[in-house]
Amino acid sequence: MDIAALIAWLVTAVGGFVMLGTWIAKGGTREPRRSRFSPGLIFGHFALAAAGLVLWIVYLIAGGKTLAWIAFVLLVPVALLGFTMLARWIPGYRDRTAAASAADAAPEQHFPVVVVAAHGLVAVATVVLVLLAALGIGS
């Protein structure tokens, strides 16, 4: 269960990096007023998820259920921030055809739909796997 959670977390991180890179490349940090996502929302989600992943790796190396529970607790605000971004992304995705050009589109409107969906689904699986591992199920 521990390794399955790590793999799911790493796959989720890859999707997150793709979207973060797209958001930055399309002007998310240069023109934050065009985006439905504030830099604090984006980078807060990223920082908490990265900190949790590091803790999970330390847990796998050193052991100790306390680290597993701390990593899980960190995933709670990560998930809430992720759902917030999804709720803000959906209206922009629906409006993407109304944009006069790709240059006028918000940075997050350039996210590949497959990456958004996969990131979200694997993220939910990650939360469940981390919880099960912290509970000692499947170990």
Side-chain angles (χ1 to χ4, degrees), residues 37-88:
F37 301 165
S38 70
L41 177 64
I42 293 279
F43 292 113
H45 179 76
F46 168 76
L48 287 171
L53 177 57
V54 169
L55 278 174
W56 191 254
I57 292 168
V58 172
Y59 156 71
L60 291 176
I61 294 168
K65 288 295 180 187
T66 303
L67 288 174
W69 281 108
I70 294 170
F72 174 74
V73 167
L74 280 175
L75 281 178
V76 173
V78 170
L80 293 173
L81 292 172
F83 282 122
T84 300
M85 288 188 283
L86 178 64
R88 292 182 183 181

Side-chain angles (χ1 to χ4, degrees), residues 17-31 42-43 46 107-108 111:
F17 279 123
V18 168
M19 290 186 288
L20 177 63
T22 301
W23 187 78
I24 291 170
K26 297 298 180 178
T29 56
R30 291 187 309 269
E31 303 173 42
I42 293 279
F43 292 113
F46 168 76
E108 60 273 8
F111 293 167

Side-chain angles (χ1 to χ4, degrees), residues 16 71 84-85 96 109 113 115 120:
T84 300
M85 288 188 283
R96 74 192 180 288
Q109 289 178 338
V113 176
V115 175

Side-chain angles (χ1 to χ4, degrees), residues 1 6 9 13 23 26 39 50 66 68 79 81 83 89 94 118 136-137:
M1 196 66 62
L6 175 66
W9 208 324
W23 187 78
K26 297 298 180 178
T66 303
L81 292 172
F83 282 122
W89 177 79
R94 289 181 180 158
I137 297 172

